[in-house]
Amino acid sequence: MSVIDHNAIDLPRISEASVADYIALLKPRVMSLVIFTALVGLVIAPGHFHPVLAFTSILCIAVGAGASGALNMWYESDIDALMSRTANRPIPRGRVTRPEALAFGMVLAFFSVMTLGILVNWLAGGLLAFTIFFYVVIYTMLLKRWTAQNIVIGGAAGALPPVVAWAAATGSLAVEPLLLFLIIFFWTPPHFWALALFRNDDYARAGVPMLPVVAGPDATRLQILLYTIVLVAVAVAPWPLGYFDAVYGIASLLLGSWMLVLAVQVYQRREGTAALRATRKLFAFSILYLFALFATLLVEVVARAVAPSIW
Amino acid sequence: MDDKQEPKGIVLTEAQKKRRRERSVAIALALGVLVVLFFAVTLVKGPAVLVRPM
């Protein structure tokens, strides 16, 4: 269903889109998290990586993520118009047409992949292309409107940036970036289901089969708790396995404990404002959780580089 | 006579002109960044690439 049918108007349409509208198509907030997780993947990679190549890699990954956002908004403009959270996006507002968003996304996707491949290496370029493909085709076009497991499987796209960054820095893959992948992968369901719980009406109106819409809020609360348990275990595991050190281990234990407490509260508080507050708290903390976990790895590497003797 | 007036075509408003100019500047900047990026990486990966025998 299309809410805005630009083809119905025969006269040539003069675009009034501002630069800010095109920036909004890139989903800057999602992009900032992608840049941050990719930066961590880059920094923890072994060996020396020239700063110009590192900057190029992060820029290409960021632009690739932006391209995914633009292509996502191109495909989802019909349901975006129905949800209060997304109704202000450039396409539903009529600032950018669907063909414009499609062209913008495709051009950025092409240039980000080709630039990363040519200037850095083709493993990273290929992985970036796969990430964009997975997010746009597998998640946006196939999974999102078809199954309640949409964000579980689709979460792989959001989890790939640190892997792409590691591949850019080393030209190969290893266990460490896959651990980062797993952390983001298992973080995605509790994060988005918490959002879906308090945006349930939005998703139901748009016909998106998010878990609370399909299985109900109580089943979602149980799934959030189960995925949080797995997430905390996966996030702590690299410490005893010897991949990341004790500072990370203790940080992941403390952060994970609080994440679990909030998930239990979401599970227990099912009615009224207490339930809504618990869900919002988990959603907000889940962002801080991922940020703090990755920041710990970043700080460790920087501290080791600045003062190797005391570390 | 009005009938014989030359068609003016599409006339952009001032707001449309301003936005189009802003978009053009943004595209120019993006292309500039791309050129600088390729130049910088060429230097980093091997300055010898710039020395080409005739």
Side-chain angles (χ1 to χ4, degrees):
Chain A
M1 187 179 84
S2 179
V3 172
I4 299 165
D5 185 4
H6 294 292
N7 296 325
I9 303 163
D10 288 325
L11 290 170
R13 180 187 169 278
I14 307 300
S15 175
E16 293 195 4
S18 65
V19 174
D21 291 320
Y22 280 93
I23 291 173
L25 282 178
L26 303 175
K27 296 192 178 180
R29 277 190 297 179
V30 175
M31 193 197 268
S32 63
L33 200 61
V34 167
I35 291 172
F36 182 64
T37 56
L39 183 67
V40 174
L42 201 77
V43 166
I44 66 165
H48 174 71
F49 194 39
H50 196 285
V52 171
L53 292 177
F55 172 78
T56 304
S57 305
I58 295 294
L59 183 66
C60 289
I61 293 168
V63 173
S68 304
L71 293 171
N72 171 272
M73 287 197 204
W74 157 70
Y75 193 78
E76 293 196 334
S77 59
D78 55 346
I79 54 176
D80 280 351
L82 300 174
M83 299 199 289
S84 58
R85 186 173 70 90
T86 53
N88 256 343
R89 286 177 173 176
I91 300 177
R93 263 197 310 148
R95 299 297 294 267
V96 177
T97 63
R98 290 188 75 229
E100 285 164 355
L102 173 64
F104 183 58
M106 290 301 286
V107 167
L108 291 187
F110 176 80
F111 273 95
S112 61
V113 170
M114 294 304 286
T115 305
L116 189 61
I118 292 168
L119 298 186
V120 183
N121 67 60
W122 282 105
L123 176 64
L127 279 168
L128 183 62
F130 177 74
T131 307
I132 297 169
F133 168 80
F134 198 91
Y135 184 73
V136 176
V137 177
I138 306 295
Y139 169 68
T140 304
M141 294 182 178
L142 299 178
L143 295 172
K144 185 157 182 181
R145 302 176 196 220
W146 176 58
T147 169
Q149 297 300 310
N150 48 16
I151 51 112
V152 178
I153 308 164
L160 277 167
V163 183
V164 181
W166 178 287
T170 64
S172 62
L173 291 177
V175 175
E176 288 92 332
L178 298 180
L179 291 170
L180 299 183
F181 171 89
L182 285 177
I183 291 169
I184 305 174
F185 184 78
F186 284 107
W187 168 86
T188 306
H191 171 75
F192 278 103
W193 283 336
L195 173 73
L197 272 177
F198 62 81
R199 294 282 186 188
N200 196 16
D201 295 345
D202 253 8
Y203 285 114
R205 189 165 52 245
V208 180
M210 293 298 280
L211 195 61
V213 178
V214 174
D218 288 351
T220 307
R221 288 188 169 88
L222 176 63
Q223 292 293 320
I224 286 176
L225 182 58
L226 294 175
Y227 269 94
T228 304
I229 292 168
V230 176
L231 165 67
V232 172
V234 165
V236 173
W239 173 35
L241 291 174
Y243 288 105
F244 305 145
D245 65 19
V247 175
Y248 168 85
I250 291 163
S252 68
L253 269 176
L254 293 173
L255 291 163
S257 303
W258 189 240
M259 185 84 182
L260 260 179
V261 167
L262 295 178
V264 169
Q265 285 179 358
V266 167
Y267 182 71
Q268 288 174 331
R269 298 172 188 175
R270 299 179 177 208
E271 298 291 335
T273 53
L276 186 66
R277 207 178 302 127
T279 314
R280 284 182 182 275
K281 268 169 75 175
L282 177 68
F283 176 73
F285 183 75
S286 66
I287 298 168
L288 180 67
Y289 171 83
L290 193 69
F291 178 80
L293 212 55
F294 277 64
T296 308
L297 288 171
L298 197 63
V299 169
E300 270 189 41
V301 173
V302 172
R304 232 182 260 131
V306 172
S309 56
I310 61 164
W311 194 256
Chain B
M1 279 169 68
D2 285 353
D3 296 348
K4 300 205 171 175
Q5 271 183 346
E6 286 291 315
K8 285 182 182 173
I10 296 167
V11 180
L12 300 187
T13 64
E14 282 308 309
Q16 286 168 337
K17 281 183 189 168
K18 183 170 175 282
R19 293 242 159 106
R20 186 175 65 174
R21 182 167 180 76
E22 286 169 358
R23 292 196 303 270
S24 300
V25 169
I27 292 169
L29 284 174
L31 287 173
V33 167
L34 196 64
V35 170
V36 171
L37 203 63
F38 268 76
F39 181 65
V41 174
T42 305
L43 293 180
V44 167
K45 291 191 110 173
V49 76
L50 297 176
V51 183
R52 288 181 294 179
M54 295 296 284

